[in-house]
Amino acid sequence: AIRLFCERMGISKSDSNIDFSIMEDCTREVMDDASPRAFAILEPLKVTITNWEDGKLEDFAVPRHPKRAELGDRTVPFGKTVYIERGDFFDLEGPEGIANSGRLPKGFKRFLPDGKVRLKYAYVISCNEIIRDPETNEPVELLCTYYPETRAGNTPEGEARVKGIIQWVEASSGTKCKVMQYDRLFKTEEPGKESGDFLDDINEESLTILHNVILEPSVGADAVTIIDKLSNNPGSEVEKIYHSSLAYQFERSGYFALDSSSKVDDLVFNLVVTLRDTWDAGSATQPKKDENIHINHDKEGKQTQQKQKNKNTGGNAPVLEDARRVALRAGTILEAGPHPEADSLIICKLDCGDVNEAGEPEEPRTVVAGLAGKIPFDELVNRKVVCITNLKPARMRGIESTAMLLAASDGQEGDDEVVQLLDVPDSVPNGELLSFENMKPCEPDAILKSKGALKVWDRVKAQLRVNDEGEATYQNDGTVRKIMTSAGPVRVTSLKNCTIG
C-alpha cells in the first residue's frame, strides 16, 4: 500500500500536504485484493432460534474471498444461538426508537421487531420476542424463528424476497477477542495551525477498545496457526511472517490485522482501515464526516444512495470538485455484437464489478455505444476498459444502456476517424473506482440525472484529453492530472494529443 501511495503521488519539488485519505484509499485497494473475508460481531446481540433443535450444528461452506476462488472455502457453523451486530437491529421501542421518535430510519433494510432478515449464507429468520435489560430497556436477546425452506439464499416460490442481509456468528463455536479501533490521532488536518500547539488538536477518542468481539471459528484457527509458527520459529529468516501477516476484511466493518500481543487464548485485532472514508477535516471538533454516503449497485445496474448525517455538524460539507463526482470505474467487456436496429451502434455486456447487499456478483451491465465499424468485435471482448457507471440510464433504439465506455478520437470525420478505448491494466479488479493524480479519492454521486448533475459530466468531459505520452488526463485550472488505477495510469493504444469522450 505504501508503494502504491508513492507511485500515485510521485515526487514534487515544492513543499505540500497530501491528504491522509489517499494513503487510506491505497490501503483499501491492496487489502481488498489480499484479505480473506470473515464474520466478526463487534457489538454482539444474542439471537436464539426457538424452532432449532438443541445441540444441532449445521456447517455452511463459504468462500474465503468473493473474487479469488483459489483461496478456497471456509466452514461457518450455524446453530440454535447466534450473535448479530447490535446495530443491525433497530428497536422501535428501545433507546434508538425513542431518540428517533418511533420512526424507522430512511433506507434501513436490516432487522426490525416483527420483521424478517436473512442471515448471510444461511436462513431467513423473523423476530418474535425481545428480551430487555430491566434498567436500560436495551434488548439483550431476540427470540426468533427460522424458515428451513430459505436455506442458502433460496426464496420460496410465491414469496417476496427478503431484502435485509446481515452477518452472524454461531455462539458455541465462535472465538472471543479484543479489537482496537483506531481513528485519526488529530481532529484537524493541520494540527496546531490555529492554536500554535498541536496537542490542542489531539483526538481524545482516537482509540476505542472493544472487549467482547465474537469471531467466526476459522479466524481463531488461523490465528492459532500463525502464533504457533511464530513461537516455534522466532526470528526465522526462512519465511518472514509477522502477527500482522494475518489480516481480514471483517465484513461490513473494515480491514483488521492480528496484533503482536496476541496469545492463543487472548486474541487482539487492530483496525487498519475502514471500508469507506469516514473522516473529514472540515470540522475542527468532530472527526467524522458531516455526511457519509454509501453507494450500492442494484440488480438493474443502477445505484442507490444512503446518507447518514452527523447531527453535530450542521451538514456544512465541502463542495466536491466536478471530477470527483463522476464514477470512472474499471470494467471488462464480456460480449460485443451489433445493435439489431441501428447500424452505427453496438451492444456490449460489461462486468463493472457490481455486487448486491450480500456481496455477491450482479449481472453484467448492458452498454450501447456508437462504435460500429470503429473497433472490431474480437478486439473488444475480454478487454479491460474505463466506464462511467453513474450516468442516468439511456434507452438507445429500444435498448437501455446502463453504463458508458470512454474512448479517445483523433477528431477525423466519418470512416477516417480513429477511435481507441481507454485501456486499464489487466491486474486492476473490475469495479475499481479510478482517481485523478494528486487529488483526493472520488466520491461519486449515486447517479447524475438532474440537469445540474448532467452538466457536471459535460464540464468534466470537456477537460479530458490524451497527452503526448498516450496517457488519459484531466486538465483543470491549468493543472494536468493523469487518470490513475491501482496499477498505474490509464492509456490508449497509439493516439496522442487528442480528445476523450
Side-chain angles (χ1 to χ4, degrees), residues 240-451:
K240 280 197 171 183
I241 58 172
Y242 309 90
H243 288 82
S244 57
S245 299
L246 185 65
Y248 294 90
Q249 183 196 104
F250 289 164
E251 298 198 21
R252 295 185 48 234
S253 297
Y255 297 96
F256 294 77
L258 188 66
D259 186 79
S260 58
S261 67
S262 293
K263 298 179 178 58
V264 170
D265 58 351
D266 185 17
L267 300 182
V268 180
F269 277 85
N270 296 320
L271 173 65
V272 180
V273 67
T274 56
L275 291 180
R276 299 178 179 89
D277 184 11
T278 56
W279 190 89
D280 179 33
S283 169
T285 59
Q286 175 56 264
K288 296 295 179 184
K289 272 195 172 181
D290 297 341
E291 191 175 71
N292 189 20
I293 300 176
H294 301 271
I295 297 175
N296 298 318
H297 302 265
D298 64 18
K299 283 189 174 180
E300 286 72 37
K302 301 175 184 177
Q303 295 172 315
T304 57
Q305 175 172 303
Q306 299 173 344
K307 298 182 180 179
Q308 296 173 330
K309 291 193 176 182
N310 189 316
K311 298 178 180 178
N312 300 324
T313 60
N316 297 318
V319 177
L320 285 177
E321 300 97 323
D322 284 344
R324 295 175 60 210
R325 295 179 59 185
V326 179
L328 297 182
R329 296 186 184 273
T332 298
I333 299 175
L334 305 177
E335 302 173 13
H339 192 296
E341 302 293 336
D343 293 339
S344 63
L345 300 177
I346 68 170
I347 300 173
C348 299
K349 291 295 184 181
L350 187 66
D351 181 356
C352 299
D354 298 321
V355 296
N356 59 23
E357 290 183 352
E360 300 161 342
E362 290 278 19
E363 292 295 317
R365 296 189 185 216
T366 299
V367 178
V368 181
L371 296 176
K374 304 297 182 183
I375 305 174
F377 290 130
D378 59 353
E379 293 182 15
L380 292 173
V381 177
N382 294 324
R383 191 165 182 171
K384 187 151 288 189
V385 296
V386 177
C387 56
I388 305 175
T389 59
N390 68 336
L391 294 178
K392 182 180 179 181
R395 187 166 291 276
M396 302 177 70
R397 298 296 295 270
I399 297 177
E400 186 176 64
S401 182
T402 56
M404 175 180 173
L405 302 177
L406 281 191
S409 168
D410 66 354
Q412 299 294 318
E413 296 290 338
D415 294 339
D416 295 331
E417 182 186 23
V418 176
V419 175
Q420 295 177 354
L421 292 176
L422 302 193
D423 289 322
V424 172
D426 289 338
S427 61
V428 175
N430 291 331
E432 177 178 296
L433 183 63
L434 308 189
S435 61
F436 298 92
E437 187 178 29
N438 295 327
M439 285 183 69
K440 292 181 179 180
C442 294
E443 298 181 25
D445 289 26
I447 190 166
L448 297 167
K449 62 180 180 179
S450 67
K451 290 183 179 180

Side-chain angles (χ1 to χ4, degrees), residues 4-23:
L4 176 59
F5 173 76
C6 293
E7 289 174 7
R8 286 190 174 178
M9 294 300 98
I11 299 174
S12 175
K13 295 181 180 179
S14 58
D15 292 339
S16 61
N17 291 322
I18 298 173
D19 195 289
F20 186 68
S21 63
I22 298 177
M23 177 66 210

